Amino acid sequence: MTRRLRPSRLAAAAALVLSAGAAGLGLYVRREMGASRAELARIAAGSPHARDGAFANLEPASRDAGVVLRMVANMLRGTPAVSAPPEWIPLSPLVVPPCPSALAATWLGHACVLLEVDGRRVLTDPVWSRCASPVPFAGPKRLHPVVAPLDALPPCEVVLLSHDHYDHLDRRTVLALARTTDAVFVAPLGVGAHLRSWGVPAERVVERDHDGVAEVAGLTLTCLPARHFSGRGLRPDTTQWAAWKVAGGEHTVYVGGDSGPSRVHAATGAAHGPFDLTVLPIGAYDEGWAGLHLDPEQAVAAHRALRGRLMLPMHWATFNLGFHPWDEPAERARKAAAADDVTLLLPRPGERVDATGPGPFPAEPWWPAPR
């Protein structure tokens, strides 16, 4: 004879399951956040660019609370802010030579680029997760699948990180790369603490503050100022954010990470340029964070200030984090580049561009025509 549970017992069992699920999710989110506040404060205390445990921009830039609330709403809905492509964004198959060239770039989506610099490979800001958030089922979702599985990538000497926001630093991707490759992780000050807290061996983590230099695998990596912010929890600016100069024996690349308009671009161009290639963000702009994200015209101006030869736009078409149509950044960047005589590279995700020669380079629209 089957015994039925009383309603009160059913309710108690359901509450127990929900409580366990909430506790498990809480632990998961806590792991995603990374290093403890105490550890981050200890690291920040040793930097001249931090005060009371928080890093700051050289030029103040405010964050509009309304914009932040709209972003949170979009994350909870898991829907794009303005528009999404009518279907999957077209991808190119990943085809890379067995030996890295003198200068090439393969855009893998958002801020992730596979760079080849004088015979070495550098992977920037890799994110292979479906959502750019601390939970696996909510947040900004991909507008296209990953170009290829992580294990299909060629060996990389360096994984280069710009800051700790979820669309640039992904725990699961980092752990997979730490497990399956011999790459060294190079990051701004404090970001390495996240990696160590996740189990990445300390000897494979290199951190630098602004103007710090690291020599890794025959490349010189210089940590450079950017105008942005950081944080994986409720407290912002607990780790440093940065752009990077990647220099081999013959070629140099500027990796912009995430940045707003700033005089640091001209200062960097004067001190470290010219650059053979600049990799600059063109998406997720809004008046509410005008000092923290470049719009396409500002990105082209930053490229000119950096004294760049070729410009590869990124930070668009993968995670729609802004409040503009998903393909607007590319259209505006094309017009700005044409008006300012800038050579733009606009490959499909997965398309490799050899940047050593005179071209031609991919710059024709592969996205929908302007509305």
Side-chain angles (χ1 to χ4, degrees):
M1 182 176 179
T2 303
R3 296 182 62 186
R4 295 183 179 180
L5 290 175
R6 295 176 181 176
S8 60
R9 292 184 177 180
L10 282 172
L16 183 62
V17 170
L18 289 174
S19 177
L25 180 60
L27 288 173
Y28 182 94
V29 170
R30 181 64 195 88
R31 283 198 304 270
E32 291 288 318
M33 288 183 179
S36 69
R37 180 178 295 185
E39 174 64 7
L40 295 178
R42 184 190 67 78
I43 294 170
S47 171
H49 305 294
R51 183 176 180 181
D52 297 327
F55 290 86
N57 287 298
L58 297 175
E59 302 155 87
S62 62
R63 294 182 284 275
D64 188 303
V67 173
V68 174
L69 289 175
R70 288 164 67 196
M71 276 298 303
V72 170
N74 288 331
M75 289 179 67
L76 292 175
R77 291 200 313 264
T79 56
V82 175
S83 71
E87 54 190 20
W88 283 122
I89 288 172
L91 306 179
S92 290
L94 182 66
V95 179
V96 292
C99 296
S101 73
L103 184 64
T106 305
W107 181 45
L108 299 175
H110 203 56
C112 183
V113 181
L114 179 61
L115 294 171
E116 300 168 39
V117 182
D118 294 328
R120 299 288 187 267
R121 287 194 178 100
V122 177
L123 186 65
T124 71
D125 286 354
V127 176
W128 255 248
S129 290
R130 180 170 177 260
C131 298
S133 83
V135 294
F137 52 81
K141 294 182 175 64
R142 287 182 164 274
L143 302 181
H144 64 79
V146 294
V147 168
L150 269 177
D151 58 11
L153 295 183
C156 299
E157 284 79 12
V158 176
V159 174
L160 188 64
L161 304 170
S162 64
H163 63 297
D164 69 1
H165 284 158
Y166 291 97
D167 58 319
H168 293 256
L169 178 64
D170 181 53
R171 182 178 70 92
R172 282 167 287 178
T173 303
V174 163
L175 290 179
L177 289 167
R179 184 176 63 252
T180 60
T181 76
D182 296 322
V184 174
F185 295 83
V186 180
L189 190 65
V191 177
H194 294 318
L195 274 60
R196 292 188 293 271
S197 77
W198 295 333
V200 179
E203 62 270 18
R204 292 181 59 186
V205 178
V206 175
E207 289 179 280
R208 292 293 183 269
D209 205 345
H210 286 171
D211 300 319
V213 177
E215 302 285 344
V216 180
L219 297 172
T220 302
L221 306 164
T222 306
C223 185
L224 298 168
R227 191 184 187 194
H228 197 53
F229 64 110
S230 68
R232 295 175 73 82
L234 296 177
R235 189 181 185 198
D237 305 335
T238 53
T239 62
Q240 186 61 280
W241 52 92
W244 290 92
K245 176 183 179 179
V246 180
E250 299 293 333
H251 297 90
T252 58
V253 179
Y254 178 87
V255 179
D258 221 346
S259 180
S262 173
R263 61 175 180 265
V264 302
H265 296 126
T268 297
H272 298 280
F275 291 92
D276 297 289
L277 174 67
T278 68
V279 181
L280 288 164
I282 63 169
Y285 42 84
D286 185 89
E287 290 182 0
W289 49 30
L292 299 167
H293 281 174
L294 293 164
D295 67 28
E297 293 79 13
Q298 292 167 339
V300 170
H303 168 83
R304 296 283 289 185
L306 289 161
R307 299 166 63 205
R309 181 172 69 91
L310 303 174
M311 174 181 165
L312 174 64
M314 50 82 165
H315 212 270
W316 75 285
T318 301
F319 298 110
N320 199 345
L321 303 172
F323 305 104
H324 48 72
W326 75 273
D327 54 347
E328 181 184 281
E331 288 294 332
R332 287 176 55 176
R334 286 183 74 238
K335 293 176 182 177
D340 211 9
D341 195 28
V342 167
T343 303
L344 210 61
L345 312 180
L346 282 168
R348 289 175 172 83
E351 184 177 356
R352 179 178 179 272
V353 180
D354 187 331
T356 55
F361 301 109
E364 293 304 312
W366 47 263
W367 51 91
R371 285 154 296 277

